[in-house]
Amino acid sequence: MANFGYKSRDRQGNLVSGQLEGNDSSHVAGILLGRGLTPIEVTEISINDNTFELSQLFEKPVTLDELVIFSRQMYSLMQAGIPVMRAIAGLRDSSSNPLMKKALMAVLVDLESGRTLSTALANRPKVFSQIVVSLVHVGENTGQLDLAFDQLAKYLEREQETRKQIKSAMRYPIFVMFALVGAMVILNIFVIPVFATMFTKFGVELPWTTQVLLATSSFFVNYWLLLLVGSAGALFGVKRWMVSTAGRLIWDRKKLKIPIVGSIIERALLARFGRSFSMMLVAGVPLLQGLHLVGDAVDNAFMKSRIGEMGNGIRAGESLLRVGTNSGMFNALVLQMISVGEETGQLDQMMTNMAQYYEREVDFDLKSLTAKIEPILIMIVAGMVLILALGIFTPMWDMMSAMKK
């Protein structure tokens, strides 16, 4: 389907414009007439249009909060017996995010064309993830679409709470690091040059720490533009590398090994794995398909590859306990839960227990994260103060001693 821009008049004669997806201009005109709009102009939008691509760069992304609200509202509307198309149209009109509004408008077009809701959502991967699509698909097939949206809302709310806890715990260390970087820039540009002029005037012999500080400050002052361009280029290069397949795999593996923080990230991902997998099993998704969907839900390329290896093992006839053991992702307690779940046929409940176990650990570690990071930050600040003291005050003491003589 192509994108079409349109101009039309409503029943009151007001001009209404926007974008729609359709097979051709006649199809789009028919959709507009069905909405009570009189088409004036319908033109196809080229995908290679640079203005359109540039506007996409500045689109506000759909947040997790908005997806939670969407899921909750869909659940309430389904419970009230509102038809799907009416529900989508109502949410489209009430949405304040242009990207969400455009996505729901496109979903509505697909529904009017006879496509299922899960297919329409799958055509908008920037807004609706695989786990959203799969749950809606299961809800459509079982006739329990309202319960599917209820499960999805609960899952997204738990995900939202975990992200808020991580952001809250990392706020203080990030603020301190930014303050340190800002202090270093100010010292090198404004403070150290004053001492450099004074040392040059008196002609004192400078220790190596002072020489290093003066050389660093001189580089900052004389090549600040080069530093700025180099930093921006390095940041752009790193981001490009991180979104590549190989770069993301390496980075996702390395960040699980970061001291203190890495173990928290890993357990948060395992909690997400448990919640997602349990939800898939409860919804009736087959084991192999559930593992595939959960691999996308964990949002970590390295862990996704491990989950993919687990799926390959199950496809070869191995048990979930065996492939879980071979993956190296789970500790003995979790493996015991998986074993009990397989034996009793309550694997979904065991996955929920596993998720709760990891969530409790993550919650405890996040509460003590600041206390763990504080000594490291204090050591960094102490090191900076020591270097500044040795580099600035030592020559001043030598100058005072020379003056007394």
Side-chain angles (χ1 to χ4, degrees):
M1 298 181 73
N3 290 309
F4 291 85
Y6 67 85
K7 292 181 181 178
S8 61
R9 297 279 182 184
D10 60 15
R11 291 185 175 89
Q12 288 74 36
N14 299 319
L15 182 65
V16 179
S17 61
Q19 294 181 12
L20 281 176
E21 281 188 352
N23 298 323
D24 51 35
S25 58
S26 300
H27 179 215
V28 174
I31 294 173
L32 294 173
L33 289 170
R35 296 181 183 179
L37 300 174
T38 304
I40 299 174
E41 180 183 353
V42 179
T43 55
E44 184 174 355
I45 299 174
S46 173
I47 296 177
N48 295 321
D49 185 8
N50 292 330
T51 304
F52 178 71
E53 289 184 354
L54 184 62
S55 66
Q56 286 183 331
L57 297 176
F58 299 98
E59 282 181 333
K60 179 185 175 184
V62 176
T63 64
L64 197 59
D65 291 347
E66 290 168 325
L67 287 176
V68 170
I69 293 172
F70 168 77
S71 302
R72 279 292 174 204
Q73 289 177 331
M74 283 297 294
Y75 169 68
S76 300
L77 292 171
M78 296 292 97
Q79 283 277 297
I82 305 296
V84 174
M85 290 182 63
R86 263 187 68 191
I88 294 292
L91 295 181
R92 175 205 62 192
D93 295 335
S94 63
S95 176
S96 59
N97 187 313
L99 183 58
M100 175 65 92
K101 186 183 290 288
K102 184 168 32 173
L104 293 179
M105 189 180 298
V107 168
L108 193 59
V109 171
D110 284 353
L111 292 175
E112 291 172 343
S113 302
R115 295 179 179 174
T116 62
L117 179 57
S118 58
T119 303
L121 296 178
N123 290 334
R124 279 84 208 172
K126 290 184 178 180
V127 178
F128 305 105
S129 63
Q130 277 289 334
I131 197 164
V132 174
V133 174
S134 61
L135 275 177
V136 171
H137 178 67
V138 171
E140 287 175 326
N141 291 337
T142 58
Q144 296 180 323
L145 191 57
D146 54 342
L147 297 181
F149 277 110
D150 183 42
Q151 286 182 321
L152 181 61
K154 291 177 180 177
Y155 169 79
L156 293 175
E157 284 170 351
R158 294 190 191 98
E159 182 70 16
Q160 184 183 40
E161 184 63 27
T162 301
R163 290 187 184 185
K164 285 181 178 179
Q165 286 179 330
I166 293 174
K167 286 181 180 179
S168 177
M170 295 301 296
R171 190 176 294 122
Y172 170 71
I174 291 174
F175 173 78
V176 172
M177 293 306 298
F178 271 108
L180 289 175
V181 172
M184 287 299 298
V185 171
I186 293 173
L187 285 171
N188 279 288
I189 294 178
F190 299 106
V191 179
I192 295 179
V194 176
F195 287 96
T197 304
M198 183 175 63
F199 295 153
T200 303
K201 181 179 179 180
F202 283 92
V204 296
E205 185 177 352
L206 302 177
W208 69 269
T209 51
T210 306
Q211 293 177 14
V212 170
L213 285 175
L214 295 182
T216 305
S217 175
S218 176
F219 186 80
F220 262 86
V221 172
N222 297 319
Y223 301 101
W224 64 269
L225 183 59
L226 181 63
L227 274 173
L228 190 62
V229 174
S231 299
L235 183 62
F236 177 77
V238 169
K239 283 192 172 183
R240 286 288 300 272
W241 174 77
M242 287 174 63
V243 297
S244 66
T245 303
R248 186 181 179 189
L249 181 63
I250 294 172
W251 166 240
D252 284 349
R253 182 173 68 248
K254 294 294 184 183
K255 70 183 180 183
L256 299 180
K257 304 298 181 182
I258 299 174
I260 301 176
V261 180
S263 63
I264 298 177
I265 296 174
E266 183 177 16
R267 280 176 284 185
L269 291 174
L270 289 172
R272 185 184 301 174
F273 167 83
R275 284 287 179 197
S276 306
F277 198 27
S278 173
M279 192 165 53
M280 293 290 104
L281 295 174
V282 170
V285 177
L287 189 63
L288 280 173
Q289 185 183 354
L291 279 175
H292 173 73
L293 295 172
V294 168
D296 293 326
V298 295
D299 196 25
N300 183 284
F302 175 68
M303 195 165 287
K304 180 181 178 180
S305 67
R306 291 289 185 88
I307 295 172
E309 292 172 2
M310 290 173 62
N312 293 334
I314 291 176
R315 192 177 290 108
E318 297 180 1
S319 66
L320 183 61
L321 174 62
R322 184 176 179 82
V323 296
T325 304
N326 294 337
S327 70
M329 292 194 302
F330 311 109
N331 60 29
L333 178 60
V334 172
L335 291 173
Q336 187 177 0
M337 291 181 185
I338 294 175
S339 175
V340 172
E342 284 190 311
E343 290 176 3
T344 60
Q346 295 181 333
L347 190 58
D348 55 342
Q349 183 59 46
M350 290 299 107
M351 287 294 105
T352 301
N353 293 342
M354 183 193 88
Q356 292 173 345
Y357 165 74
Y358 280 121
E359 285 168 353
R360 284 193 297 268
E361 285 203 339
V362 168
D363 186 53
F364 176 79
D365 285 344
L366 287 175
K367 289 178 180 177
S368 60
L369 180 62
T370 303
K372 292 179 181 178
I373 293 179
E374 271 183 349
I376 300 175
L377 296 177
I378 291 172
M379 290 177 64
I380 294 174
V381 173
M384 289 178 56
V385 172
L386 179 61
I387 292 173
L388 288 172
L390 292 175
I392 294 178
F393 295 116
T394 300
M396 293 182 65
W397 290 331
D398 293 340
M399 288 168 52
M400 295 297 295
S401 299
M403 291 175 62
K404 289 180 180 179
K405 293 179 181 179

